[in-house]
């Protein structure tokens, strides 16, 4: 079965997608709600994993084990870590890793990888989806996304992450989702829209742009689903 798993950390990140789905059933495992339904003729399982890496990884494994999804798309918001990545821009993951786990630990311990690569077909699908969105009110970028257990709003920490990882944006779940997807051989991609610049003004910017950015990411995901229907 070609069933697509869609994960958001918060309801605000998936509400727009949820509003466009036809629901068939709802399941609850380990405190996570899984909404089974269709987007047009595509089978979808949509879920809200909560904030942080442990929640994200737990929810992702359940999504794989219980619902046998063939692809995973993570949608949501993030803080920019690149001067070219502006508020409300879209970042499509090339690869994902943790900014709060030492790189030597990543390559020395299972699964012995410094980062986890997004699926090339899903990356290309996201690019085509962006190209089919009209009007275009923001730019898109393809690059590394880093995750960690903190909301980044300190310029010194921001600079340290940039120097170590050269990422395009930072958030709190994507690397965990990619990690679990990869060790299960499930194709994944992380889609994020920028809500803040991960600096001293991050909290103010986040509050202003979180819904706008969340919907930008969600609309791109819906366009990806539409393209999948036509393939």
């Amino acid at each position: 079965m070609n069933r697509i798993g869609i994960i958001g950390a918060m309801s605000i990140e998936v509400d727009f997608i949820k509003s466009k789905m036809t629901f068939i059933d709802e399941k609850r495992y380990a405190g996570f709600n899984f909404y089974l339904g269709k987007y047009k003729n595509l089978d979808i399982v949509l879920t809200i994993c909560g904030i942080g890496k442990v929640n994200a990884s737990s929810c992702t494994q359940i999504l794989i084990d219980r619902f046998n999804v063939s692809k995973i798309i993570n949608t949501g918001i993030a803080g920019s870590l690149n001067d070219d990545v502006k508020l409300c821009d879209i970042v499509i993951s090339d690869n994902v890793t943790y900014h709060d786990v030492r790189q030597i630990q990543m390559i020395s311990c299972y699964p012995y990888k410094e980062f986890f690569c997004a699926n090339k077909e899903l990356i290309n699908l996201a690019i085509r989806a962006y190209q089919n969105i009209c009007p275009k009110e923001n730019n898109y970028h393809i690059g590394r996304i880093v995750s960690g257990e903190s909301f980044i709003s300190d310029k010194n920490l921001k600079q340290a992450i940039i120097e170590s990882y050269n990422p395009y944006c930072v958030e709190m779940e994507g690397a965990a989702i990619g990690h679990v997807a990869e060790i299960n051989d499930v194709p994944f991609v992380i889609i994020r829209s920028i809500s803040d610049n991960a600096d001293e003004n991050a909290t103010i910017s986040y509050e202003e742009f979180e819904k706008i950015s969340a919907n930008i990411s969600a609309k791109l995901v819906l366009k990806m689903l539409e393209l999948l229907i036509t393939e």
Side-chain angles (χ1 to χ4, degrees):
M1 177 181 290
N2 188 24
R3 178 180 283 168
I4 313 300
I6 299 176
I7 305 176
M10 303 177 292
S11 61
I12 195 173
E13 294 174 322
V14 296
D15 281 346
F16 186 78
I17 298 171
K18 191 176 177 183
S19 71
K20 304 297 182 181
M21 289 176 57
T22 301
F23 288 96
I24 298 171
D25 199 2
E26 179 180 341
K27 302 289 186 181
R28 186 174 177 87
Y29 298 107
F32 303 111
N33 292 321
F34 297 85
Y35 303 96
L36 286 71
K38 287 185 176 290
Y39 178 71
K40 300 183 179 179
N41 67 341
L42 276 182
D43 288 306
I44 303 294
V45 183
L46 182 146
T47 186
I48 303 165
C49 68
I51 302 296
K53 297 183 298 185
V54 175
N55 282 333
S57 57
S58 300
C59 189
T60 303
Q61 191 64 58
I62 294 170
L63 188 66
I64 294 168
D65 288 343
R66 296 279 186 171
F67 302 102
N68 195 30
V69 294
S70 58
K71 302 176 180 65
I72 292 176
I73 302 172
N74 172 220
T75 181
I77 56 182
S80 173
L81 292 181
N82 185 300
D83 289 341
D84 293 330
V85 181
K86 309 298 184 183
L87 287 172
C88 296
D89 276 4
I90 294 166
V91 178
I92 301 164
S93 66
D94 177 14
N95 60 71
V96 292
T97 192
Y98 307 107
H99 67 75
D100 55 359
V101 179
R102 290 185 304 160
Q103 290 152 306
I104 187 65
Q105 183 176 341
M106 293 288 291
I107 60 177
S108 300
C109 301
Y110 180 79
Y112 313 109
K113 295 183 177 183
E114 189 176 341
F115 50 81
F116 307 100
C117 293
N119 177 262
K120 291 182 179 179
E121 291 182 5
L122 289 176
I123 293 171
N124 290 333
L125 182 69
I127 294 169
R128 289 196 290 122
Y130 173 85
Q131 292 169 342
N132 278 270
I133 291 175
C134 187
K136 295 179 178 63
E137 298 177 352
N138 42 67
N139 295 318
Y140 84 93
H141 312 266
I142 302 171
R144 176 171 296 166
I145 297 176
V146 293
S147 307
E149 296 291 352
S150 56
F151 179 80
I152 305 302
S153 58
D154 175 85
K155 65 180 182 181
N156 293 325
L157 178 55
K158 175 181 178 177
Q159 189 58 38
I161 295 171
I162 291 171
E163 290 174 0
S164 295
Y165 298 97
N166 193 30
Y168 278 54
C169 66
V170 60
E171 33 85 307
M172 300 175 71
E173 298 83 26
I177 292 168
H179 184 155
V180 174
E182 182 156 318
I183 64 175
N184 284 276
D185 294 320
V186 176
F188 79 91
V189 71
I190 313 298
I191 307 294
R192 295 286 176 161
S193 181
I194 300 302
S195 61
D196 61 85
N197 289 315
D199 56 17
E200 281 74 7
N201 297 314
T203 301
I204 297 172
S205 175
Y206 176 89
E207 292 173 354
E208 180 179 354
F209 286 98
E210 62 171 337
K211 185 172 183 179
I212 296 170
S213 299
N215 285 344
I216 288 171
S217 182
K219 288 176 182 177
L220 181 72
V221 172
L222 282 176
K223 186 62 70 172
M224 292 172 68
L225 299 180
E226 290 177 11
L227 291 174
L228 282 173
I229 291 169
T230 62
E231 291 183 347

